[in-house]
Amino acid sequence: MKYTTLLFDVDNTLLDFDANEAESFRSMLLELGETYTDEMYQTYKRINSGLWKKIEKKEISLEEVLNNRFAMLMKHYGREVDGARWEKTYRRYLNRGIQQIPCVHQVLAELKKTYRLYVITNGLEETQEFRMEHSGLSQYFSDFFISGRIGVNKPSKEFFDYVKAHIPGFQQGKTLVIGDSLTSDIKGGSDAGMDTCWFTRDRQAQYEDVIPTYVIHELPDIFSVLG
């Protein structure tokens, strides 16, 4: 058996964060008495994506992102809002989001029979723990490594060093990183000396600078990788 330990990202790998994000954004606006438009949501996604890339590069803190992303969004439309208040409202909905990737329970239940499973995820501790517990996915994992708890984010060396140090009997060559983000999961895992599996539901997606060991487009495809 080539691998004994599997490290899974959460968002858009186990849980459908895209669906959760869209629903939470719409619900936040409704509660705040704002009008939802798809154009506004796409603008938010561009702003938020850019901010998270800055987090990965250690150019900005998570707290700065959470306190400012909605203020930045509405500034784009010429308005000033209380970004922290918007964030609190949005977070309340996001924390409850447990939309799942198809076949996730069947896949994890089967993998758990043979492999040691761990979660590696960026995000707030309370958010990720709530979502994993209430989706019923926590039962499959030996431990959760969450950036908000550790104090550093993927793809940093410090994050993966922490993971290695806290998995009993860790063997780098027998560990596979599975995630949807090239810049976070795949780069981080590769830089840490581990094989990686890029899970992208976009069959047209391309990679250049970061090269995964494997690519899958549906979660059950992981079995063809593991053999």
Side-chain angles (χ1 to χ4, degrees):
M1 186 167 65
K2 187 170 185 179
Y3 304 109
T4 60
T5 304
L6 307 179
L7 308 182
F8 277 92
D9 176 45
V10 171
D11 291 317
N12 288 329
T13 303
L14 303 175
L15 294 177
D16 191 337
F17 183 77
D18 288 345
N20 182 19
E21 181 183 51
E23 184 176 319
S24 298
F25 186 86
R26 187 186 294 270
S27 297
M28 173 195 69
L29 291 181
L30 180 63
E31 180 173 328
L32 294 172
E34 301 286 342
T35 301
Y36 171 89
T37 67
D38 187 63
E39 188 276 333
M40 178 185 284
Y41 179 56
Q42 295 305 322
T43 299
Y44 164 74
K45 289 189 69 174
R46 287 194 299 272
I47 291 172
N48 191 51
S49 177
L51 290 172
W52 274 98
K53 283 181 169 56
K54 287 187 176 183
I55 286 180
E56 292 173 4
K57 295 176 182 177
K58 302 181 181 179
E59 296 175 354
I60 191 172
S61 71
L62 176 60
E63 184 177 5
E64 288 176 287
V65 171
L66 300 184
N67 286 332
N68 292 291
R69 58 184 175 181
F70 290 111
M72 292 174 64
L73 169 66
M74 297 313 292
K75 186 176 181 180
H76 176 81
Y77 295 100
R79 293 178 52 197
E80 290 188 10
V81 301
D82 184 343
R85 175 172 171 256
W86 280 49
E87 179 65 38
K88 184 177 181 180
T89 305
Y90 174 70
R91 180 64 49 184
R92 182 157 28 86
Y93 289 107
L94 195 72
N95 284 355
R96 302 171 186 167
I98 56 173
Q99 298 92 331
Q100 298 165 27
I101 295 295
C103 303
V104 63
H105 278 280
Q106 298 93 315
V107 169
L108 292 178
E110 188 63 28
L111 290 176
K112 185 175 172 60
K113 297 176 184 178
T114 306
Y115 303 91
R116 297 193 302 169
L117 309 183
Y118 293 87
V119 159
I120 55 168
T121 180
N122 285 342
L124 298 179
E125 181 177 0
E126 62 177 323
T127 299
Q128 300 300 58
E129 285 190 339
F130 180 95
R131 294 169 67 224
M132 289 296 291
E133 181 66 29
H134 285 76
S135 64
L137 298 183
S138 60
Q139 63 181 306
Y140 304 113
F141 294 92
S142 300
D143 205 350
F144 301 87
F145 299 105
I146 306 171
S147 66
R149 177 191 297 163
I150 298 172
V152 287
N153 293 278
K154 296 180 296 182
S156 71
K157 179 179 183 297
E158 292 83 0
F159 181 95
F160 284 93
D161 283 348
Y162 182 95
V163 172
K164 292 177 182 181
H166 288 80
I167 293 179
F170 179 82
Q171 293 180 280
Q172 186 168 289
K174 288 186 171 294
T175 302
L176 180 67
V177 174
I178 304 153
D180 73 296
S181 172
L182 286 173
T183 57
S184 176
D185 307 307
I186 306 308
K187 183 179 189 310
S190 179
D191 288 349
M194 291 177 278
D195 285 355
T196 60
C197 180
W198 183 34
F199 174 33
T200 173
R201 289 178 285 177
D202 180 2
R203 293 180 180 273
Q204 306 303 315
Q206 301 292 318
Y207 54 85
E208 295 179 2
D209 298 332
V210 182
I211 301 176
T213 314
Y214 313 99
V215 180
I216 61 173
H217 299 294
E218 296 180 5
L219 200 54
D221 293 343
I222 191 64
F223 293 111
S224 64
V225 167
L226 297 172

